[in-house]
């Protein structure tokens, strides 16, 4: 079996590069003092503005609180709430000292309406004291290489020692979103907390989750020092992006900046199908027979790629086949290459049964039409001579018998 390599994806790849070579999104105009949008899977930065400037982060502090709770507790745990004395205007769900609530409900209270009493209860449960929990937060920040982040509270009230950057918050949110429990909570428009002394209905302060189906998180925040803050998350075109904006002057601007960041991030990607199962991508001559056998990929390949990423498809196919071969017999391969590296290999198979050939056909193909005619004439002559010889021998025997 002789093989050839064909670049059948050359046209498709060229077209893809033309379509994706330049991002279609207009340049971003962000009001926020700091902003960033990243690829949630790879961490690649898609846009940034003052992303490494330390700033007050308000209740997005609770992203670290949530991470430690997820890593040190079970969702089903139920424990009594410690005392908490909120200042006027704080967001709380009115937990009373000793009231028993599950970790799951406390997380939803902390992440949706940003309840400070829920955050305090979780911090004390995990760290035994709030101060010890804050030390755990800072140790975790160092471990995760969040070098521009420091905590003085698990809640996010204004304090000079509680700060982070857009970049660090985006990377922290990436880790949070890998926890399915966290991702499900921050995508809820509202929830009912059934543990505790009575049911409580809570609403997500992130209105974008309610109003825009492609938005699925993450956390709002607001204090006098921080301004309006929002860590966002969205899916689209097969991509998942995370945004952060810090220091917006009001909720409307906060939401507009976040939508612009998320849309820009998603628009950097496209979902493509460079290989389609059952589509003929090559053909091979069939030995001893006229015509060719169609060859197709055994499966499809779908990829999410950033605009401008080089994409190519290479087919390793035989130039000739000899039957009999069944349909879907592997005879080669299809390789999908992204930025020069093979990311997927799919078997190349026969689209239909490849027939074999008998002895007569092989002889006829081997000799060719002219030689076949000569051979038939020789056979006829030999047959005639044999017949004449036989007749002569019968006549001779007949004479001898007289």
């Amino acid at each position: 079996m002789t093989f050839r390599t064909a670049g059948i994806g050359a046209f498709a790849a060229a077209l893809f590069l033309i379509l994706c070579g330049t991002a279609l999104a207009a340049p971003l105009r962000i009001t926020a003092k700091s902003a960033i949008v990243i690829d949630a899977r790879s961490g690649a930065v898609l846009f940034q503005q003052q992303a490494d400037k330390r700033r007050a982060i308000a209740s997005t502090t609770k992203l670290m609180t949530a991470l430690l709770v997820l890593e040190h507790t079970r969702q089903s745990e139920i424990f009594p709430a410690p005392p908490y004395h909120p200042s006027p205007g704080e967001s709380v769900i009115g937990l009373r000292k000793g009231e028993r609530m599950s970790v799951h409900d406390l997380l939803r209270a902390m992440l949706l309406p940003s309840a400070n009493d829920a955050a305090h209860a979780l911090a004390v449960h995990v760290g035994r004291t709030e101060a010890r929990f804050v030390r755990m937060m800072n140790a975790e920040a160092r471990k995760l290489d969040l070098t521009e982040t420091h905590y003085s509270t698990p809640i996010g009230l204004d304090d000079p020692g509680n700060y982070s950057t857009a970049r660090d918050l985006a990377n922290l949110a990436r880790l949070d979103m890998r926890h399915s429990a966290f991702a499900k909570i921050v995508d809820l428009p509202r929830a009912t907390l059934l543990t505790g002394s009575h049911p409580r209905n809570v609403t997500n302060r992130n209105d974008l989750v309610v109003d825009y189906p492609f938005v699925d998180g993450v956390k709002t925040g607001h204090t006098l020092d921080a301004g309006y803050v929002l860590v966002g998350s969205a899916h689209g075109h097969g991509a998942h992006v995370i945004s952060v904006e810090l220091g917006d002057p009001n909720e409307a601007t906060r939401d507009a900046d976040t939508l612009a960041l998320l849309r820009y991030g998603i628009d950097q990607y496209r979902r493509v199908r460079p290989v389609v199962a059952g589509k003929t991508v090559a053909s091979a001559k069939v030995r001893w027979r006229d015509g060719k056998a169609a060859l197709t990929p055994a499966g499809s390949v779908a990829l999410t790629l950033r605009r401008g990423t080089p994409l190519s498809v290479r087919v390793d196919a035989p130039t000739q086949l000899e039957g009999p071969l069944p349909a879907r017999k592997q005879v080669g391969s299809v390789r999908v290459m992204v930025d020069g590296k093979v990311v997927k290999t799919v078997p190349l198979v026969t689209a239909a049964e490849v027939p074999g050939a008998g002895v007569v056909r092989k002889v006829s193909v081997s000799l060719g039409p002219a030689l076949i005619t000569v051979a038939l004439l020789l056979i006829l002559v030999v047959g005639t001579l044999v017949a004449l010889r036989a007749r002569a021998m019968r006549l001779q025997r007949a004479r001898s018998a007289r």
Side-chain angles (χ1 to χ4, degrees), residues 162-390:
N162 202 80
Y163 57 81
S164 187
T165 66
R167 189 185 311 278
D168 279 0
L169 279 173
N171 288 322
L172 176 58
R174 281 183 69 206
L175 299 175
D176 277 318
M177 291 295 282
R178 292 177 185 176
H179 290 270
S180 60
F182 179 93
K184 289 177 182 177
I185 289 172
V186 296
D187 194 27
L188 292 172
R190 62 193 61 84
T192 299
L193 314 181
L194 297 177
T195 58
S197 61
H198 61 280
R200 292 173 167 91
N201 295 316
V202 296
T203 301
N204 194 341
R205 289 196 169 191
N206 184 0
D207 294 333
L208 300 183
V209 168
V210 180
D211 298 335
Y212 299 89
F214 73 100
V215 179
D216 52 15
V218 176
K219 187 73 189 74
T220 62
H222 172 249
T223 62
L224 291 176
D225 288 350
Y228 287 85
V229 176
L230 178 53
V231 178
S233 169
H235 283 78
H237 297 167
H240 178 200
V241 299
I242 288 174
S243 67
V244 179
E245 62 75 33
L246 301 174
D248 259 320
N250 53 60
E251 286 188 9
T253 306
R254 176 200 71 187
D255 289 353
D257 278 352
T258 298
L259 282 175
L261 288 165
L262 293 174
R263 284 171 170 156
Y264 179 88
I266 287 172
D267 199 49
Q268 304 312 300
Y269 293 88
R270 283 293 179 267
R271 190 70 172 166
V272 295
R273 287 169 59 89
V275 177
V276 179
K279 182 177 180 180
T280 299
V281 296
S283 61
K285 294 179 180 179
V286 181
R287 195 177 181 194
W288 312 117
R289 290 189 172 273
D290 298 329
K292 293 184 175 182
L295 307 179
T296 66
S300 298
V301 176
L303 300 172
T304 297
L305 296 180
R306 189 173 176 180
R307 291 178 181 274
T309 303
L311 170 68
S312 61
V313 177
R314 295 290 180 265
V315 177
D316 294 318
T319 57
Q320 182 175 268
L321 295 171
E322 182 172 355
L325 294 174
R328 296 190 62 79
K329 172 69 175 179
Q330 183 174 354
V331 294
S333 64
V334 181
R335 292 176 293 158
V336 180
M337 305 178 73
V338 175
D339 204 13
K341 297 179 181 178
V342 177
V343 297
K344 190 73 174 179
T345 300
V346 178
L348 183 69
V349 300
T350 52
E353 182 181 349
V354 178
V359 175
V360 173
R361 185 168 184 85
K362 290 181 180 180
V363 170
S364 66
V365 172
S366 299
L367 295 178
L371 291 177
I372 290 173
T373 302
V374 172
L376 290 174
L377 288 174
L378 286 174
I379 291 171
L380 180 61
V381 169
V382 170
T384 302
L385 291 175
V386 170
L388 291 173
R389 176 64 177 167

Side-chain angles (χ1 to χ4, degrees), residues 72 121-136:
H72 290 86
L122 288 167
V124 171
H125 177 61
V126 173
R128 294 196 295 275
T129 67
E130 184 174 294
R132 185 173 181 273
F133 186 81
V134 169
R135 291 196 294 272
M136 292 173 65

